[in-house]
Amino acid sequence: MFLPSLFSLSPLLLLLLLLALLPSTPAQDHLSFTFNNFKAASPNLTLDGIAEFTPSGLLALTNGTRNKIGHAFFPTPFPFKPSPNASVSSFSTSFIFSIITDNPTYPGHGIVFVVAPAPRLPGALSARYLGLFNETNNGNSTNHVVAVELDTVRSSNYKDINDNHVGIDINGLDSVASKAAGYYSSNGRFQNLSLTSGKAMQVWVEYDGGKKEMNVTMAPVDLPKPNTPLLTLSKDLSPILNQTMYVGFSSSSSPIRSASHYLLAWSFNMNGLADGFDFSQLPKLPQIGQKKTYMLFKIGLPLICLVLVFGVVSGVVFYIRRKRKFAEVLEDWELDYGPHRFKYKDLYIATKGFGEKGLLGSGGFGRVYRGILPTSEIEIAVKRVSHESRQGMREFVAEIVSVGRMRHRNLVQLLGYCRRKGELLLVYDYMPNGSLDRFLYNQPSFTLSWQERFRVIKGVASGLFYLHEEWEQVVVHRDVKPSNVLLDGELNGRLGDFGLARLCDHGTDPQTTNVAGTLGYLAPEHNRTGKATTSTDVYAFGAFLLEVACGRRPIEPRAAAENLVLVDWVFSYWRRGEILQTVDSKLGSQYVAEEVELVLKLGLWCSHSEPVARPSMRQVVQYLEGDIPLPELKLMCNSATGLMFAHREGFDDFVLSHPQSSSVAESLLSGGR
């Protein structure tokens, strides 16, 4: 009896022994996990997008590839609530990360720690959405997402404080709390950290379920956890998080910026503090260039005293020279414009002395430099304009301040000015992606899609309509062209230099005729009279429309005679019924034919040689937004000569015919498709 009984129990004992030897799932047994590196993490993490494990044990969320997403999630959900209607329990996580970029001035986007309902984020977009959301679900309460972002791009759409910040996000990218990246040292002083320095940094995220409070702390990897958190948010997460949730990371790269986002270690714990790391097991980061070697020298007391004396003398001399160097023109009447007046010293420091490294470009009105204001860390662009004449200076500054009061999403904001000797400095919001013409002509490996171009076109039209009709005064831009259209962090078009040509007239001889503008964008009547009007702006906008759609400049000096002038070239294809043959070849077939045809025909209409025949910017916006259909074009009389720059035989035979316009009887639009 004994032997059969023992034999019958052996399989059960064997099964229990096998179960005891099997590796347990941390999330189920201990509600925690720790990765000191990711060499053996492959079965324990779910990767998505371009995320991958490197041979050295790093978790690479992105690898420098543009416009891509990387996700990494723990595959097992955690019980954040004991029941669906209960409060969220305490939880804690810590991780070590590094962002490496070849160009710190234009880094890619940052890293986000995510608590989400699922280990995948379907439909998420890269660039401005950080691989978390898209344009339809961003901000929706049904997302049930809590995230901590380490963001390296300042997005005005989401009210980011700068391009180097930490934020707590709930269901969307508008951070409910944010602060510049850094930590508080033991003496309580705040120390800045650069997220794109390429160095390893540690982050702690802790939620106290009893206090309903989340704390975010960070520090360099070689320092212990600071006592004072960087961010504190008092908020009950119970209505936001589900009973079970997944934890992980997301990162993305933009279409024009690239960076590599790495995780070196990660730990997580429900109902307790996340475990610390064994730093001896951390993987090594890729090297960036050659390592700089710093040598320390011991200096004797006599030499130190000599240096101190020399330093005091040098400081006095430096102070005197600096005071002279930063001398600026300031008159009593300018005190009324205090908020709009910048100190030359602040602009000099912001642009690092107007050095060549910060030069963004130069044009007809001066050179433009990138800077960061030392007091607020706001990125700015400073345009230096020569202004020797003192005649009408008070009216000139008053007009600058007036222009600075304009507010429109498609205008570059003029923040203020500074006067120094024979120079005027204008301060604008900084646009990180530069001007539109750089993307049309100087980016062989990258081009804007038609969707992006059409959004820019509509944005510029909206901004020009605001200047012409919605602002309290009529403002004529005078120089609408791609180089004066700047792109923000999300590739939205913003019209710059508005009113600058008119403002600069104050510094010229009032007896002279100043024809401001650029060849190819000047209306015929502007050449004849020198007078700029809203209609001449419409003409320039017509050239802009054709240029963006065709990827060609208004005048190509090296082209054949029949292809010299862009509007003539497009007109000839329109007459043959082949207008879509003029579309920029870099777009291939990736465009919406109806939208392109609308833009090309509208460009021809705006380029009419007779001002009265051109549409207003109000009509242009209505056509582009599809509020009203574009009227058909009808040829009044045939012309064999086609179009000629400044005097367009044939095209002048078109006149506007529209049900809402009684001043002109016939139409310029039509025939060809």
Side-chain angles (χ1 to χ4, degrees):
M1 294 293 292
F2 175 76
L3 287 177
S5 173
L6 180 62
F7 182 77
S8 64
L9 291 176
S10 295
L12 178 60
L13 291 173
L14 182 60
L15 178 60
L16 291 174
L17 287 173
L18 288 175
L19 289 174
L21 292 175
L22 285 175
S24 61
T25 302
Q28 292 176 339
D29 294 347
H30 308 292
L31 299 177
S32 67
F33 62 81
T34 299
F35 297 106
N36 289 300
N37 57 61
F38 297 94
K39 289 182 179 179
S42 179
N44 298 319
L45 290 179
T46 300
L47 303 187
D48 189 16
I50 61 172
E52 61 181 356
F53 300 109
T54 70
S56 63
L58 293 168
L59 170 54
L61 292 172
T62 68
N63 55 17
T65 306
R66 295 178 178 179
N67 206 23
K68 296 294 183 181
I69 297 174
H71 295 147
F73 278 85
F74 196 80
T76 306
F78 287 88
F80 276 70
K81 300 178 183 178
S83 64
N85 296 322
S87 296
V88 170
S89 305
S90 298
F91 64 89
S92 171
T93 189
S94 181
F95 57 91
I96 300 175
F97 77 97
S98 177
I99 301 176
I100 297 178
T101 176
D102 294 332
N103 187 355
T105 306
Y106 299 101
H109 291 268
I111 293 177
V112 188
F113 168 73
V114 189
V115 180
R120 295 183 182 275
L121 302 171
L125 298 178
S126 61
R128 50 182 171 163
Y129 295 102
L130 291 171
L132 288 179
F133 308 109
N134 57 48
E135 56 190 6
T136 60
N137 68 3
N138 181 46
N140 290 351
S141 60
T142 56
N143 290 333
H144 299 290
V145 169
V146 174
V148 175
E149 64 175 44
L150 306 164
D151 199 358
T152 57
V153 173
R154 181 189 180 192
S155 175
S156 57
N157 287 357
Y158 307 124
K159 303 175 184 178
D160 290 341
I161 57 175
N162 60 24
D163 60 357
N164 187 68
H165 64 273
V166 180
I168 299 175
D169 303 338
I170 295 179
N171 292 327
L173 294 181
D174 283 330
S175 298
V176 295
S178 63
K179 192 164 184 179
Y183 66 99
Y184 291 94
S185 59
S186 56
N187 59 10
R189 295 184 62 183
F190 182 75
Q191 305 291 327
N192 287 301
L193 288 175
S194 173
L195 297 176
T196 58
S197 64
K199 298 179 181 179
M201 288 171 270
Q202 187 168 358
V203 176
W204 295 263
V205 179
E206 298 161 338
Y207 178 74
D208 189 322
K211 295 181 179 179
K212 315 299 183 188
E213 181 179 271
M214 176 180 283
N215 290 318
V216 180
T217 312
M218 69 180 304
V221 74
D222 54 350
L223 293 183
K225 178 186 175 184
N227 294 325
T228 304
L230 175 66
L231 277 177
T232 297
L233 175 67
S234 296
K235 188 175 181 65
D236 185 5
L237 299 183
S238 303
I240 301 161
L241 300 182
N242 297 333
Q243 182 178 1
T244 60
M245 301 290 288
Y246 291 83
V247 293
F249 294 88
S250 174
S251 185
S252 68
S253 56
S254 75
I256 59 173
R257 303 173 180 178
S258 62
S260 298
H261 302 80
Y262 295 106
L263 288 176
L264 291 78
W266 181 23
S267 65
F268 181 85
N269 193 3
M270 288 295 305
N271 299 310
L273 292 178
D275 292 339
F277 301 115
D278 182 351
F279 290 93
S280 64
Q281 297 186 34
L282 292 182
K284 292 184 179 181
L285 289 166
Q287 293 185 1
I288 312 173
Q290 298 180 350
K291 294 183 178 179
K292 296 181 179 179
T293 305
Y294 297 92
M295 300 181 65
L296 300 177
F297 299 92
K298 294 182 180 180
I299 304 174
L301 182 60
L303 185 57
I304 293 176
C305 294
L306 181 62
V307 170
L308 288 175
V309 172
F310 178 77
V312 171
V313 174
S314 299
V316 173
V317 174
F318 176 77
Y319 174 78
I320 296 174
R321 289 182 176 178
R322 187 179 181 86
K323 192 171 182 179
R324 292 176 180 174
K325 181 177 184 179
F326 295 128
E328 54 187 275
V329 181
L330 180 60
E331 298 180 30
D332 292 340
W333 55 263
E334 289 188 78
L335 298 177
D336 296 335
Y337 305 125
H340 300 278
R341 170 90 190 214
F342 286 84
K343 292 182 179 179
Y344 180 76
K345 177 182 177 181
D346 290 341
L347 298 182
Y348 187 90
I349 295 173
T351 59
K352 297 182 179 178
F354 297 100
E356 290 296 318
K357 289 185 178 180
L359 181 64
L360 295 175
S362 57
F365 297 116
R367 296 163 71 103
V368 185
Y369 298 85
R370 177 178 181 262
I372 301 178
L373 288 175
T375 54
S376 60
E377 296 186 350
I378 295 176
E379 285 186 294
I380 57 173
V382 182
K383 184 185 290 286
R384 304 182 75 174
V385 182
S386 176
H387 202 288
E388 299 290 349
S389 174
R390 292 175 58 83
Q391 181 180 8
M393 178 56 73
R394 188 166 187 168
E395 292 76 15
F396 182 40
V397 171
E399 197 154 10
I400 289 175
V401 174
S402 176
V403 169
R405 289 190 290 109
M406 293 183 184
R407 294 291 186 275
H408 192 274
R409 64 183 179 278
N410 296 113
L411 296 180
V412 179
Q413 180 65 41
L414 176 60
L415 302 177
Y417 76 102
C418 174
R419 286 202 300 136
R420 179 177 180 267
K421 300 178 181 179
E423 192 176 50
L424 180 75
L425 297 95
L426 301 178
V427 183
Y428 296 88
D429 266 342
Y430 172 69
M431 296 292 106
N433 287 323
S435 60
L436 174 61
D437 64 337
R438 183 166 66 94
F439 291 90
L440 293 178
Y441 306 112
N442 301 326
Q443 292 284 350
S445 60
F446 171 79
T447 186
L448 294 178
S449 67
W450 172 250
Q451 182 183 10
E452 292 165 333
R453 296 190 194 198
F454 195 53
R455 187 171 71 240
V456 169
I457 286 172
K458 292 194 289 185
V460 173
S462 178
L464 205 52
F465 170 56
Y466 174 85
L467 294 178
H468 288 185
E469 297 188 33
E470 294 185 308
W471 175 238
E472 60 191 32
Q473 301 173 2
V474 175
V475 177
V476 178
H477 188 282
R478 290 195 178 192
D479 204 14
V480 180
K481 58 183 179 180
S483 60
N484 281 339
V485 174
L486 303 179
L487 303 180
D488 62 19
E490 285 72 49
L491 297 178
N492 296 308
R494 299 198 183 192
L495 192 57
D497 280 353
F498 49 91
L500 185 55
R502 180 166 58 90
L503 292 173
C504 286
D505 282 349
H506 286 283
T508 63
D509 183 353
Q511 300 302 319
T512 62
T513 300
N514 182 28
V515 179
T518 305
L519 190 63
Y521 304 89
L522 290 173
E525 71 274 12
H526 193 186
N527 282 325
R528 293 193 300 267
T529 65
K531 182 179 180 182
T533 64
T534 56
S535 186
T536 60
D537 272 358
V538 173
Y539 182 94
F541 183 74
F544 171 82
L545 288 174
L546 298 179
E547 187 172 0
V548 174
C550 301
R552 284 187 44 181
R553 300 189 187 277
I555 298 178
E556 292 284 357
R558 298 181 182 178
E562 62 272 18
N563 298 334
L564 176 66
V565 181
L566 177 59
V567 66
D568 294 342
W569 183 66
V570 175
F571 178 74
S572 65
Y573 275 88
W574 170 77
R575 292 189 63 185
R576 297 198 298 265
E578 300 174 347
I579 197 169
L580 291 181
Q581 296 298 317
T582 64
V583 178
D584 189 351
S585 60
K586 293 191 291 293
L587 293 174
S589 59
Q590 303 300 312
Y591 60 84
V592 181
E594 293 79 7
E595 292 178 353
V596 174
E597 187 173 359
L598 168 66
V599 168
L600 291 170
K601 287 185 176 182
L602 195 54
L604 289 177
W605 188 6
C606 293
S607 300
H608 199 287
S609 62
E610 291 298 328
V612 69
R614 299 171 199 150
S616 67
M617 287 310 301
R618 177 186 295 273
Q619 290 175 299
V620 169
V621 170
Q622 290 174 329
Y623 294 138
L624 290 173
E625 293 295 344
D627 295 335
I628 58 175
L630 188 71
E632 288 294 318
L633 298 168
K634 295 181 180 179
L635 190 58
M636 291 302 298
C637 64
N638 294 325
S639 170
T641 58
L643 297 173
M644 295 297 291
F645 180 69
H647 182 71
R648 301 174 174 81
E649 295 99 13
F651 194 69
D652 292 348
D653 293 327
F654 292 91
V655 288
L656 178 62
S657 171
H658 190 275
Q660 299 174 348
S661 177
S662 60
S663 61
V664 185
E666 303 295 337
S667 171
L668 85 84
L669 292 173
S670 176
R673 285 192 179 277

mmCIF file of all heavy atoms in Angstrom, residues 35-66:
data_model
loop_
_atom_site.group_PDB
_atom_site.id
_atom_site.type_symbol
_atom_site.label_atom_id
_atom_site.label_comp_id
_atom_site.label_asym_id
_atom_site.label_seq_id
_atom_site.Cartn_x
_atom_site.Cartn_y
_atom_site.Cartn_z
ATOM 1 N N PHE A 35 15.124 46.702 -13.968
ATOM 2 C CA PHE A 35 16.078 46.409 -15.032
ATOM 3 C C PHE A 35 17.306 47.295 -14.814
ATOM 4 O O PHE A 35 17.240 48.509 -15.009
ATOM 5 C CB PHE A 35 15.479 46.705 -16.411
ATOM 6 C CG PHE A 35 14.286 45.861 -16.775
ATOM 7 C CD1 PHE A 35 13.013 46.399 -16.762
ATOM 8 C CD2 PHE A 35 14.444 44.530 -17.108
ATOM 9 C CE1 PHE A 35 11.906 45.635 -17.091
ATOM 10 C CE2 PHE A 35 13.339 43.753 -17.440
ATOM 11 C CZ PHE A 35 12.069 44.301 -17.427
ATOM 12 N N ASN A 36 18.421 46.692 -14.384
ATOM 13 C CA ASN A 36 19.669 47.448 -14.266
ATOM 14 C C ASN A 36 20.302 47.698 -15.629
ATOM 15 O O ASN A 36 21.177 48.553 -15.764
ATOM 16 C CB ASN A 36 20.657 46.717 -13.360
ATOM 17 C CG ASN A 36 20.217 46.749 -11.908
ATOM 18 O OD1 ASN A 36 20.067 47.820 -11.331
ATOM 19 N ND2 ASN A 36 19.985 45.580 -11.324
ATOM 20 N N ASN A 37 19.870 46.926 -16.608
ATOM 21 C CA ASN A 37 20.191 47.138 -18.022
ATOM 22 C C ASN A 37 19.177 46.312 -18.799
ATOM 23 O O ASN A 37 18.308 45.660 -18.210
ATOM 24 C CB ASN A 37 21.638 46.749 -18.352
ATOM 25 C CG ASN A 37 21.945 45.305 -17.987
ATOM 26 O OD1 ASN A 37 21.336 44.368 -18.510
ATOM 27 N ND2 ASN A 37 22.875 45.117 -17.050
ATOM 28 N N PHE A 38 19.276 46.346 -20.112
ATOM 29 C CA PHE A 38 18.252 45.668 -20.922
ATOM 30 C C PHE A 38 18.850 44.534 -21.770
ATOM 31 O O PHE A 38 18.334 44.215 -22.829
ATOM 32 C CB PHE A 38 17.547 46.692 -21.816
ATOM 33 C CG PHE A 38 16.805 47.743 -21.044
ATOM 34 C CD1 PHE A 38 17.415 48.953 -20.741
ATOM 35 C CD2 PHE A 38 15.518 47.517 -20.587
ATOM 36 C CE1 PHE A 38 16.749 49.927 -20.015
ATOM 37 C CE2 PHE A 38 14.838 48.481 -19.862
ATOM 38 C CZ PHE A 38 15.458 49.688 -19.564
ATOM 39 N N LYS A 39 19.940 43.932 -21.257
ATOM 40 C CA LYS A 39 20.570 42.845 -22.013
ATOM 41 C C LYS A 39 19.672 41.617 -22.106
ATOM 42 O O LYS A 39 19.678 40.913 -23.118
ATOM 43 C CB LYS A 39 21.901 42.476 -21.353
ATOM 44 C CG LYS A 39 22.983 43.523 -21.517
ATOM 45 C CD LYS A 39 24.298 43.077 -20.892
ATOM 46 C CE LYS A 39 25.384 44.128 -21.091
ATOM 47 N NZ LYS A 39 26.668 43.732 -20.480
ATOM 48 N N ALA A 40 18.920 41.342 -21.056
ATOM 49 C CA ALA A 40 18.046 40.162 -21.058
ATOM 50 C C ALA A 40 16.580 40.557 -20.929
ATOM 51 O O ALA A 40 15.762 39.806 -20.423
ATOM 52 C CB ALA A 40 18.440 39.229 -19.914
ATOM 53 N N ALA A 41 16.254 41.757 -21.385
ATOM 54 C CA ALA A 41 14.887 42.261 -21.194
ATOM 55 C C ALA A 41 13.949 41.912 -22.330
ATOM 56 O O ALA A 41 12.769 42.240 -22.280
ATOM 57 C CB ALA A 41 14.920 43.785 -21.021
ATOM 58 N N SER A 42 14.442 41.269 -23.368
ATOM 59 C CA SER A 42 13.635 41.041 -24.569
ATOM 60 C C SER A 42 12.288 40.378 -24.287
ATOM 61 O O SER A 42 11.263 40.827 -24.781
ATOM 62 C CB SER A 42 14.436 40.220 -25.586
ATOM 63 O OG SER A 42 13.671 39.964 -26.735
ATOM 64 N N PRO A 43 12.225 39.276 -23.469
ATOM 65 C CA PRO A 43 10.899 38.661 -23.246
ATOM 66 C C PRO A 43 10.013 39.487 -22.319
ATOM 67 O O PRO A 43 8.810 39.271 -22.257
ATOM 68 C CB PRO A 43 11.246 37.314 -22.597
ATOM 69 C CG PRO A 43 12.727 37.182 -22.651
ATOM 70 C CD PRO A 43 13.284 38.558 -22.791
ATOM 71 N N ASN A 44 10.603 40.415 -21.555
ATOM 72 C CA ASN A 44 9.868 41.102 -20.501
ATOM 73 C C ASN A 44 9.382 42.494 -20.880
ATOM 74 O O ASN A 44 8.796 43.186 -20.056
ATOM 75 C CB ASN A 44 10.745 41.218 -19.253
ATOM 76 C CG ASN A 44 11.126 39.861 -18.694
ATOM 77 O OD1 ASN A 44 10.300 38.964 -18.662
ATOM 78 N ND2 ASN A 44 12.367 39.715 -18.288
ATOM 79 N N LEU A 45 9.629 42.923 -22.116
ATOM 80 C CA LEU A 45 9.154 44.223 -22.578
ATOM 81 C C LEU A 45 8.559 44.089 -23.975
ATOM 82 O O LEU A 45 9.055 43.305 -24.793
ATOM 83 C CB LEU A 45 10.291 45.256 -22.601
ATOM 84 C CG LEU A 45 10.840 45.732 -21.255
ATOM 85 C CD1 LEU A 45 11.977 46.718 -21.467
ATOM 86 C CD2 LEU A 45 9.751 46.365 -20.408
ATOM 87 N N THR A 46 7.517 44.848 -24.236
ATOM 88 C CA THR A 46 6.886 44.880 -25.556
ATOM 89 C C THR A 46 7.335 46.139 -26.283
ATOM 90 O O THR A 46 7.118 47.248 -25.793
ATOM 91 C CB THR A 46 5.351 44.874 -25.431
ATOM 92 O OG1 THR A 46 4.949 43.683 -24.756
ATOM 93 C CG2 THR A 46 4.700 44.921 -26.812
ATOM 94 N N LEU A 47 7.975 45.972 -27.447
ATOM 95 C CA LEU A 47 8.484 47.104 -28.216
ATOM 96 C C LEU A 47 7.596 47.361 -29.422
ATOM 97 O O LEU A 47 6.990 46.446 -29.974
ATOM 98 C CB LEU A 47 9.918 46.852 -28.679
ATOM 99 C CG LEU A 47 10.952 46.540 -27.600
ATOM 100 C CD1 LEU A 47 12.355 46.483 -28.205
ATOM 101 C CD2 LEU A 47 10.908 47.560 -26.472
ATOM 102 N N ASP A 48 7.554 48.627 -29.818
ATOM 103 C CA ASP A 48 6.726 49.032 -30.951
ATOM 104 C C ASP A 48 7.471 50.117 -31.713
ATOM 105 O O ASP A 48 8.307 50.837 -31.159
ATOM 106 C CB ASP A 48 5.370 49.549 -30.445
ATOM 107 C CG ASP A 48 4.376 49.773 -31.589
ATOM 108 O OD1 ASP A 48 4.621 49.249 -32.690
ATOM 109 O OD2 ASP A 48 3.378 50.476 -31.370
ATOM 110 N N GLY A 49 7.138 50.277 -33.012
ATOM 111 C CA GLY A 49 7.802 51.299 -33.829
ATOM 112 C C GLY A 49 9.241 50.912 -34.091
ATOM 113 O O GLY A 49 9.555 49.757 -34.392
ATOM 114 N N ILE A 50 10.173 51.866 -33.930
ATOM 115 C CA ILE A 50 11.587 51.602 -34.202
ATOM 116 C C ILE A 50 12.370 51.305 -32.928
ATOM 117 O O ILE A 50 13.601 51.245 -32.951
ATOM 118 C CB ILE A 50 12.244 52.777 -34.946
ATOM 119 C CG1 ILE A 50 12.179 54.057 -34.109
ATOM 120 C CG2 ILE A 50 11.603 52.996 -36.298
ATOM 121 C CD1 ILE A 50 12.990 55.197 -34.717
ATOM 122 N N ALA A 51 11.668 51.126 -31.790
ATOM 123 C CA ALA A 51 12.349 50.814 -30.538
ATOM 124 C C ALA A 51 13.072 49.472 -30.658
ATOM 125 O O ALA A 51 12.562 48.526 -31.265
ATOM 126 C CB ALA A 51 11.356 50.792 -29.386
ATOM 127 N N GLU A 52 14.258 49.369 -30.031
ATOM 128 C CA GLU A 52 15.044 48.133 -30.112
ATOM 129 C C GLU A 52 16.032 48.066 -28.949
ATOM 130 O O GLU A 52 16.341 49.081 -28.314
ATOM 131 C CB GLU A 52 15.804 48.065 -31.448
ATOM 132 C CG GLU A 52 16.787 49.202 -31.642
ATOM 133 C CD GLU A 52 17.518 49.136 -32.972
ATOM 134 O OE1 GLU A 52 17.303 48.156 -33.695
ATOM 135 O OE2 GLU A 52 18.306 50.056 -33.258
ATOM 136 N N PHE A 53 16.526 46.849 -28.676
ATOM 137 C CA PHE A 53 17.579 46.643 -27.692
ATOM 138 C C PHE A 53 18.921 46.646 -28.403
ATOM 139 O O PHE A 53 19.089 46.023 -29.457
ATOM 140 C CB PHE A 53 17.390 45.312 -26.953
ATOM 141 C CG PHE A 53 16.086 45.203 -26.213
ATOM 142 C CD1 PHE A 53 15.081 44.358 -26.667
ATOM 143 C CD2 PHE A 53 15.864 45.948 -25.068
ATOM 144 C CE1 PHE A 53 13.879 44.257 -25.986
ATOM 145 C CE2 PHE A 53 14.656 45.852 -24.377
ATOM 146 C CZ PHE A 53 13.667 45.004 -24.835
ATOM 147 N N THR A 54 19.891 47.339 -27.831
ATOM 148 C CA THR A 54 21.230 47.353 -28.429
ATOM 149 C C THR A 54 22.072 46.242 -27.806
ATOM 150 O O THR A 54 21.785 45.784 -26.687
ATOM 151 C CB THR A 54 21.915 48.712 -28.207
ATOM 152 O OG1 THR A 54 22.236 48.854 -26.812
ATOM 153 C CG2 THR A 54 21.005 49.856 -28.641
ATOM 154 N N PRO A 55 23.122 45.799 -28.492
ATOM 155 C CA PRO A 55 23.975 44.737 -27.936
ATOM 156 C C PRO A 55 24.599 45.111 -26.595
ATOM 157 O O PRO A 55 24.893 44.240 -25.777
ATOM 158 C CB PRO A 55 25.052 44.557 -29.013
ATOM 159 C CG PRO A 55 24.404 45.031 -30.279
ATOM 160 C CD PRO A 55 23.503 46.141 -29.871
ATOM 161 N N SER A 56 24.786 46.400 -26.346
ATOM 162 C CA SER A 56 25.424 46.822 -25.098
ATOM 163 C C SER A 56 24.453 46.844 -23.923
ATOM 164 O O SER A 56 24.866 47.080 -22.786
ATOM 165 C CB SER A 56 26.037 48.211 -25.268
ATOM 166 O OG SER A 56 25.032 49.174 -25.530
ATOM 167 N N GLY A 57 23.138 46.633 -24.178
ATOM 168 C CA GLY A 57 22.172 46.610 -23.103
ATOM 169 C C GLY A 57 21.344 47.861 -22.969
ATOM 170 O O GLY A 57 20.637 48.047 -21.973
ATOM 171 N N LEU A 58 21.392 48.754 -23.967
ATOM 172 C CA LEU A 58 20.560 49.952 -23.971
ATOM 173 C C LEU A 58 19.199 49.641 -24.592
ATOM 174 O O LEU A 58 19.093 48.768 -25.458
ATOM 175 C CB LEU A 58 21.223 51.073 -24.765
ATOM 176 C CG LEU A 58 22.515 51.674 -24.217
ATOM 177 C CD1 LEU A 58 23.174 52.540 -25.279
ATOM 178 C CD2 LEU A 58 22.235 52.501 -22.966
ATOM 179 N N LEU A 59 18.179 50.359 -24.155
ATOM 180 C CA LEU A 59 16.883 50.337 -24.824
ATOM 181 C C LEU A 59 16.787 51.614 -25.647
ATOM 182 O O LEU A 59 16.667 52.710 -25.103
ATOM 183 C CB LEU A 59 15.740 50.268 -23.809
ATOM 184 C CG LEU A 59 14.312 50.489 -24.352
ATOM 185 C CD1 LEU A 59 14.006 49.555 -25.510
ATOM 186 C CD2 LEU A 59 13.275 50.328 -23.243
ATOM 187 N N ALA A 60 16.907 51.483 -26.980
ATOM 188 C CA ALA A 60 16.859 52.639 -27.882
ATOM 189 C C ALA A 60 15.430 52.834 -28.350
ATOM 190 O O ALA A 60 14.908 52.042 -29.132
ATOM 191 C CB ALA A 60 17.791 52.423 -29.073
ATOM 192 N N LEU A 61 14.779 53.898 -27.862
ATOM 193 C CA LEU A 61 13.411 54.192 -28.305
ATOM 194 C C LEU A 61 13.413 54.721 -29.729
ATOM 195 O O LEU A 61 12.532 54.410 -30.529
ATOM 196 C CB LEU A 61 12.768 55.206 -27.366
ATOM 197 C CG LEU A 61 12.490 54.705 -25.949
ATOM 198 C CD1 LEU A 61 12.032 55.838 -25.063
ATOM 199 C CD2 LEU A 61 11.446 53.595 -25.962
ATOM 200 N N THR A 62 14.389 55.567 -30.082
ATOM 201 C CA THR A 62 14.592 56.026 -31.462
ATOM 202 C C THR A 62 16.075 55.954 -31.770
ATOM 203 O O THR A 62 16.919 55.911 -30.860
ATOM 204 C CB THR A 62 14.097 57.475 -31.683
ATOM 205 O OG1 THR A 62 14.938 58.370 -30.939
ATOM 206 C CG2 THR A 62 12.662 57.650 -31.243
ATOM 207 N N ASN A 63 16.411 55.962 -33.061
ATOM 208 C CA ASN A 63 17.801 55.782 -33.470
ATOM 209 C C ASN A 63 18.316 56.887 -34.380
ATOM 210 O O ASN A 63 19.262 56.680 -35.139
ATOM 211 C CB ASN A 63 17.956 54.428 -34.169
ATOM 212 C CG ASN A 63 16.980 54.274 -35.336
ATOM 213 O OD1 ASN A 63 16.418 55.270 -35.821
ATOM 214 N ND2 ASN A 63 16.763 53.045 -35.780
ATOM 215 N N GLY A 64 17.684 58.066 -34.355
ATOM 216 C CA GLY A 64 18.124 59.155 -35.214
ATOM 217 C C GLY A 64 17.353 59.248 -36.513
ATOM 218 O O GLY A 64 17.521 60.203 -37.268
ATOM 219 N N THR A 65 16.492 58.250 -36.795
ATOM 220 C CA THR A 65 15.671 58.290 -38.005
ATOM 221 C C THR A 65 14.579 59.340 -37.847
ATOM 222 O O THR A 65 13.958 59.446 -36.798
ATOM 223 C CB THR A 65 15.023 56.921 -38.263
ATOM 224 O OG1 THR A 65 16.046 55.930 -38.285
ATOM 225 C CG2 THR A 65 14.295 56.921 -39.607
ATOM 226 N N ARG A 66 14.345 60.132 -38.887
ATOM 227 C CA ARG A 66 13.372 61.220 -38.802
ATOM 228 C C ARG A 66 11.937 60.718 -38.952
ATOM 229 O O ARG A 66 11.677 59.747 -39.638
ATOM 230 C CB ARG A 66 13.657 62.274 -39.875
ATOM 231 C CG ARG A 66 14.995 62.977 -39.675
ATOM 232 C CD ARG A 66 15.257 63.969 -40.782
ATOM 233 N NE ARG A 66 16.527 64.674 -40.572
ATOM 234 C CZ ARG A 66 17.019 65.577 -41.389
ATOM 235 N NH1 ARG A 66 16.365 65.911 -42.482
ATOM 236 N NH2 ARG A 66 18.175 66.166 -41.120
#
